[in-house]
Amino acid sequence: MNPILRMDGVSVTYRGSVRPRQAVIDANLTLEPGATLGLAGESGCGKTSLALAVLRLLPRSADVDGTILLDGQDIERLTWGGLRAARWASASVVFQGAMHALNPVRTIADQIAEPIRLHSSERLSAAVSRARVVELLERVEIPARRRDAYPHELSGGQRQRVMIAMALACEPRLIIADEPTTALDVVVQSQVLSLLRRLVAERGIALLMISHDLSVLAASCRRLAVMYRGRLVEEGPAHRLASAPEHEHTGELAAAFPTIGDTASRYQGAGEPVGAAGSTRRPLLSAEGVSVEFTDRHRNRVPAVREVDLDVTGDEILALVGQSGSGKTTLARTLLGLRRPDTGVVHYDGRPIPTSGRRLRDFRGNVQLVLQDPTGALNPRHTVYEAVAEGLRVHGGAADEAARVHEALEAAELRPAEEFAGRFPHELSGGQRQRVVIAGALVLCPRVLVADEPVASLDATVRGEILALLLRLRRERGVSSLVITHDLGLAWNIADRVAVMRAGAIVETGPVERVLIDPEHEYTTELLAAVPSFERSVS
Amino acid sequence: MTDTRDELETRGPASGPPPLLRFVAAKVGGGVVSLFLVAVLGFFLFRVLPGDPARTMTRSTPVSAEQLAALRHRFGLDQPLYLQFRDFLLNLLHGDLGTSYIYNRPVAELIVERIGPTVLLVGTATVLAVLVGLWMGTRAAWRQGGAVDRWFTSVGLTLWSVPTFWLGLLLLMAFGVGVGPLPGLFPVAGMSSPDVPPGVVARVLDVAHHLVLPCLTLVAVIYAQFMMVMRTSLLEEMGAEYLTTARAKGLREDLVRRRHAVPNALLPTVTLIFLHLGLVVAGAITVETVFSWPGLGLLTYEALRVPDLPLLQGTFIVLAGSVIVMNVLAELIYRLLDPRVRDS
């Protein structure tokens, strides 16, 4: 049987204004019909370039060398007409973050029907193409009545399902899925993955799936390939890569997605608060019976947080886990005093948090926020020094500003501090930017850090460093952290205690070792079951 | 940040039809309030101007104090300000904008008479400029940095920065009067010739003939705005991922552009276009003056020279009103074009 996709010595080079940049170097891949291959790698390793080269979708500034045979046809030799005919009919793509990959001003039915009409040999009547769209939507478990919805009216998971329906529209022999579940939370991710897995298996469609998350790939693909700095460094059956990775980068990628319950992926010092056992572990920041409601556009009251009791004690790392929309960010905002609870009260250090004046400012200095996306959190026109010093200035300034900024940068492991102080955010890597954000919080010597998905936008290797930093801050400076995340693996990595949130309420709280290994609440079990892992990889 | 919409997969369909009626009512209501404020502003703005209107009216002829008093009484200028204001509002409700000093005719009548030519000239020019601008903007953005882009952008910016009266005079000399061997191809002033043969077709052609030069001047000066906004807005969409999706589907480039990129890029231009349509009524004072086009712009110019307060006040209110009406329309149309606005 001829392979559906064959790449021989493929290189992709971007002609830059300064010098050319090689995104892919000499890649060789073969995909048999119906086979599934996972392509793993960090951002910028060239995996998306490689995938887009299959349909010649790279920007004009990219040069592709080598041969790519799609279904036996040499892609580079096709005429434009031949290429357009091959696109979507031979191979279709499920893009990352379907919000942007779908046209916001056209209905989903319209967008699904477009390739059907385009690639059909005869003119299709409206009724025929509508019936086909409904059939496709039903296959991805979206009710037919939603066909006239616009992308923004759907949830993230639904949008990804629409993308999958669209990819199936012309019955292609290959589907390329580029980070199909990256923006989704664990439960939705596992639903989308199993749907995709089932559909390609039923139809014998070959799947090339790209992700930075090795465990997601292992859950869906029989073979895995690892890309590192433009090169394919390792390829093999998923279970072999999981159990015995040969290249060290494979090991690094695997380590970033810990196996819950495996003590080896618990970081040094996690679960061991420094305070002597039995000493006064009184709550530092606590919510008592906190409820928050929102008003939607129909003026209905929608509860976002319901009757939550939660304590963050001195020097502990508490992970607040839950799906998107479970209310964890709202709860965090309430704990930070950014939003007043509708009922209940938030205490800091034994007193209700102040609502105005100097005492509120003192409180804000003690409880600092670290946001998910450091690129958005930093002003691109401020140097690192200014970004870090800003907090001090807001809090009335300090005579020893330079010294304190220096110390905060050192504490966030931006060493040597002098070298970083004058740089701008765009000159830093993602991990360094997140360190700057953390330094900006540390400069005020806070006692609690509230970190909202602190590593969600970071690469696997950097992720570990930032998590280790949070642990070290706790050990060396006694800074507590409340880490908000949908990533149970992160909780297992560093947290002492974990609180599980669902639909606005905390369903379970307890030490990490107990809650994640022997959960009491069925929802926690459900969440844990949805986490993809190497152990459960398809064999 | 968590997105509440991503919540549970079971988010139901939007319940019921969107409250369109409430939206329309709110926008129209807002427009009415703005119109009222404009009327108030119009009244007081022209009352605080220095100078005695009665003296202005009689500048050329010597008049006695009694005659001045009679004149003041006739125009209601001897009443206290609040009574004048009350009468002004009541009259406004009846469509009465007062009486012009210089023409000695109702302002409303004058405006109605002049609004036709203005809408014809500026309306035609705006529509042409929008079409030309959007088309050129799309072309320029699609091949950013290419020869077409460079030419379109530089020519457009040059014309945009040229003073209107200068360009008007230049065209007038070149094509109206005629330069060297070139005969005058188009009439130099007014909207119609006195010696038109009878018949509707002949009259329409005559007006169209008169329209060419002033219209050309206006289009040349304003189309670049639409072009630049369209260009920028399309450039922003060019990197959008849904265009990669469209290409991956196998669509031809022109379909990618027409079906996917342009509908999204058009959104920001809608506001600009309607703002301009609102200003259509204001006429183009310079162009109408240069070409003696009998429109509102020329009327405003004449009123300003005197100054003829009721006439200025009237044109002010009509102009502001049309801007407000067009803005309300823009918001309603934007809502039709962008489904995301519909739900917010």
Side-chain angles (χ1 to χ4, degrees):
Chain A
M1 215 161 29
N2 278 330
I4 175 77
L5 177 67
R6 195 188 156 121
M7 295 182 152
D8 273 327
V10 173
S11 296
V12 178
T13 312
Y14 288 96
R15 295 185 301 269
S17 51
V18 188
R19 61 196 158 86
R21 189 173 63 81
Q22 280 211 295
V24 179
I25 304 159
D26 192 24
N28 298 298
L29 269 183
T30 307
L31 200 57
E32 301 297 331
T36 52
L37 175 70
L39 188 57
E42 299 197 328
S43 59
C45 74
K47 55 191 193 302
T48 298
S49 294
L50 187 61
L52 291 183
V54 172
L55 289 177
R56 260 165 75 187
L57 287 169
L58 291 168
R60 265 180 262 277
S61 62
D63 287 325
V64 181
D65 294 321
T67 9
I68 301 173
L69 294 177
L70 175 62
D71 218 355
Q73 290 175 300
D74 187 339
I75 280 293
E76 283 298 312
R77 292 206 184 149
L78 285 178
T79 58
W80 275 108
L83 178 66
R84 282 202 303 270
R87 283 177 175 178
W88 221 259
S90 291
S92 60
V93 191
V94 174
F95 286 103
Q96 174 181 7
M99 183 70 211
H100 303 293
L102 294 170
N103 189 334
V105 301
R106 301 183 62 198
T107 64
I108 56 170
D110 202 18
Q111 298 187 54
I112 296 174
E114 191 170 35
I116 301 176
R117 256 183 260 128
L118 194 69
H119 290 284
S120 106
S121 43
E122 72 255 46
R123 274 190 72 82
L124 290 180
S125 69
V128 171
S129 75
R130 193 176 320 125
R132 179 90 179 105
V133 168
V134 167
E135 184 202 326
L136 284 164
L137 283 175
E138 272 163 5
R139 221 186 281 163
V140 296
E141 292 155 20
I142 289 181
R145 64 187 157 79
R146 301 289 279 144
R147 65 175 180 271
D148 289 325
Y150 289 93
H152 74 277
E153 295 170 328
L154 303 174
S155 70
Q158 286 174 325
R159 286 199 288 267
Q160 211 59 56
R161 284 163 194 266
V162 168
M163 268 320 280
I164 294 174
M166 206 153 92
L168 293 169
C170 298
E171 300 285 345
R173 298 188 62 209
L174 169 67
I175 287 182
I176 299 168
D178 186 1
E179 302 270 9
T181 59
T182 299
L184 308 176
D185 67 47
V186 271
V187 175
V188 180
Q189 166 174 284
S190 99
Q191 290 166 352
V192 170
L193 284 180
S194 71
L195 179 79
L196 188 60
R197 212 156 46 214
R198 184 166 56 74
L199 288 174
V200 295
E202 275 172 14
R203 270 141 228 281
I205 299 173
L207 177 69
L208 174 60
M209 195 197 262
I210 297 163
S211 179
H212 66 287
D213 185 336
L214 212 48
S215 53
V216 161
L217 295 178
S220 312
C221 302
R222 278 171 194 274
R223 292 179 69 79
L224 295 183
V226 175
M227 229 172 148
Y228 182 56
R229 296 193 176 166
R231 289 177 200 279
L232 283 172
V233 293
E234 189 167 3
E235 196 197 331
H239 56 89
R240 210 266 299 148
L241 257 75
S243 54
E246 278 167 9
H247 195 273
E248 64 174 320
H249 188 65
T250 312
E252 278 174 11
L253 281 179
F257 299 95
T259 313
I260 291 165
D262 178 6
T263 44
S265 47
R266 199 94 159 99
Y267 283 33
Q268 189 84 39
E272 301 161 12
V274 268
S279 74
T280 51
R281 301 272 321 274
R282 65 195 177 89
L284 197 56
L285 186 62
S286 65
E288 276 171 35
V290 164
S291 296
V292 179
E293 288 185 336
F294 288 119
T295 310
D296 74 358
R297 64 192 166 100
H298 300 292
R299 310 204 172 178
N300 299 322
R301 308 284 286 163
V302 181
V305 176
R306 310 167 202 242
E307 304 269 322
V308 164
D309 297 313
L310 187 70
D311 294 330
V312 184
T313 58
D315 70 50
E316 76 164 343
I317 294 182
L318 172 63
L320 179 61
V321 298
Q323 284 182 259
S324 318
S326 59
K328 40 191 204 307
T329 296
T330 308
L331 176 59
R333 291 178 61 85
T334 313
L335 285 170
L336 284 161
L338 294 173
R339 195 193 158 87
R340 271 191 226 181
D342 290 313
T343 56
V345 63
V346 179
H347 287 281
Y348 172 71
D349 214 3
R351 270 184 288 181
I353 57 171
T355 49
S356 62
R358 205 174 53 80
R359 290 191 37 239
L360 176 66
R361 220 161 53 191
D362 288 346
F363 164 73
R364 292 257 161 89
N366 277 316
V367 182
Q368 281 284 305
L369 175 66
V370 175
L371 286 167
Q372 170 178 359
D373 174 16
T375 314
L378 292 172
N379 185 333
R381 289 168 190 278
H382 282 184
T383 60
V384 167
Y385 182 90
E386 284 166 331
V388 176
E390 186 171 33
L392 275 181
R393 294 177 188 160
V394 168
H395 284 265
D400 53 347
E401 186 183 278
R404 288 183 63 179
V405 169
H406 182 95
E407 196 228 9
L409 287 174
E410 290 273 337
E413 294 164 355
L414 286 166
R415 298 192 185 106
E418 303 78 38
E419 196 183 298
F420 285 98
R423 294 206 198 159
F424 286 94
H426 70 265
E427 298 172 295
L428 304 173
S429 70
Q432 288 169 336
R433 281 183 213 149
Q434 191 62 295
R435 286 171 194 275
V436 173
V437 172
I438 292 174
L442 290 178
V443 78
L444 294 166
C445 302
R447 294 170 70 189
V448 183
L449 283 183
V450 176
D452 192 353
E453 300 282 7
V455 293
S457 63
L458 302 178
D459 269 328
T461 43
V462 184
R463 175 186 185 277
E465 295 169 17
I466 297 288
L467 293 183
L469 172 65
L470 288 179
L471 266 175
R472 199 156 328 129
L473 289 174
R474 200 258 319 252
R475 189 170 65 239
E476 288 167 7
R477 301 176 145 234
V479 179
S480 303
S481 294
L482 171 63
V483 182
I484 296 150
T485 182
H486 68 272
D487 178 0
L488 291 163
L490 186 160
W492 176 257
N493 278 147
I494 60 164
D496 306 315
R497 283 195 308 139
V498 61
V500 182
M501 200 162 178
R502 180 204 192 177
I506 301 246
V507 295
E508 187 167 6
T509 320
V512 168
E513 282 91 347
R514 212 263 306 135
V515 175
L516 295 189
I517 291 172
D518 183 20
E520 281 170 4
H521 198 279
E522 58 186 50
Y523 180 68
T524 316
T525 320
E526 230 174 89
L527 274 183
L528 283 165
V531 177
S533 82
F534 264 172
E535 263 75 86
R536 277 179 267 127
S537 63
V538 284
S539 49
Chain B
M1 280 289 154
T2 35
D3 178 358
T4 26
R5 269 210 315 276
D6 277 0
E7 190 168 4
L8 305 164
E9 286 292 276
T10 51
R11 182 173 172 263
S15 53
L20 181 68
L21 214 65
R22 212 169 62 200
F23 176 80
V24 174
K27 290 296 163 202
V28 172
V32 170
V33 171
S34 307
L35 274 176
F36 174 75
L37 290 177
V38 161
V40 174
L41 196 68
F43 177 82
F44 288 103
L45 194 67
F46 292 105
R47 290 300 178 285
V48 298
L49 286 179
D52 180 351
R55 282 199 187 285
T56 313
M57 277 180 270
T58 56
R59 208 165 25 188
S60 48
T61 44
V63 280
S64 64
E66 290 78 43
Q67 280 173 305
L68 271 182
L71 208 53
R72 289 203 183 97
H73 180 72
R74 209 179 117 214
F75 285 102
L77 293 170
D78 53 349
Q79 305 248 14
L81 202 58
Y82 73 93
L83 279 181
Q84 283 189 45
F85 183 56
R86 191 201 62 190
D87 289 344
F88 163 76
L89 281 185
L90 284 177
N91 289 339
L92 193 61
L93 282 179
H94 293 109
D96 180 358
L97 292 167
T99 307
S100 159
Y101 300 158
I102 44 171
Y103 287 93
N104 215 348
R105 284 172 58 199
V107 168
E109 205 179 293
L110 281 167
I111 288 179
V112 168
E113 198 176 289
R114 297 293 192 100
I115 213 165
T118 284
V119 169
L120 178 67
L121 168 61
V122 190
T124 313
T126 308
V127 169
L128 283 179
V130 165
L131 293 178
V132 169
L134 294 186
W135 182 80
M136 286 185 148
T138 311
R139 285 272 136 181
W142 207 250
R143 288 262 187 274
Q144 190 198 2
V148 171
D149 183 23
R150 286 203 305 273
W151 270 103
F152 279 7
T153 314
S154 45
V155 171
L157 286 179
T158 310
L159 287 175
W160 192 4
S161 49
V162 155
T164 316
F165 74 90
W166 183 79
L167 185 67
L169 285 175
L170 218 62
L171 290 174
L172 194 84
M173 283 191 306
F175 298 106
V177 181
V179 180
L182 200 70
L185 293 172
F186 297 100
V188 291
M191 190 170 123
S192 51
S193 317
D195 52 346
V196 196
V200 180
V201 179
R203 284 190 49 195
V204 168
L205 282 177
D206 180 51
V207 171
H209 197 209
H210 281 83
L211 191 62
V212 172
L213 285 186
C215 193
L216 191 65
T217 313
L218 264 179
V219 169
V221 177
I222 61 176
Y223 84 91
Q225 306 177 45
F226 303 110
M227 182 183 82
M228 294 315 282
V229 171
M230 185 63 188
R231 180 177 176 274
T232 313
S233 150
L234 191 59
L235 281 180
E236 254 169 55
E237 297 296 329
M238 296 271 287
E241 285 162 27
Y242 61 80
L243 294 186
T244 311
T245 310
R247 284 193 190 101
K249 282 176 178 175
L251 286 174
R252 289 197 315 270
E253 274 302 281
D254 63 318
L255 285 180
V256 172
R257 182 170 65 210
R258 259 203 342 253
R259 282 200 202 159
H260 292 275
V262 169
N264 278 287
L266 268 180
L267 297 174
T269 64
V270 170
T271 318
L272 180 78
I273 290 172
F274 275 85
L275 199 68
H276 264 270
L277 288 181
L279 291 170
V280 161
V281 172
I285 294 186
T286 353
V287 172
E288 289 190 2
T289 312
V290 168
F291 291 95
S292 311
W293 189 267
L296 273 184
L298 196 61
L299 188 68
T300 313
Y301 173 70
E302 286 160 3
L304 268 172
R305 284 207 321 203
V306 176
D308 186 341
L309 291 190
L311 193 51
L312 279 178
Q313 188 176 278
T315 49
F316 177 83
I317 289 172
V318 168
L319 160 62
S322 79
V323 170
I324 290 168
V325 168
M326 284 300 168
N327 258 317
V328 171
L329 264 182
E331 293 205 50
L332 296 179
I333 286 184
Y334 203 99
R335 201 181 145 91
L336 285 180
L337 291 179
D338 191 346
R340 285 163 295 183
V341 179
R342 238 175 277 166
D343 291 350
S344 57

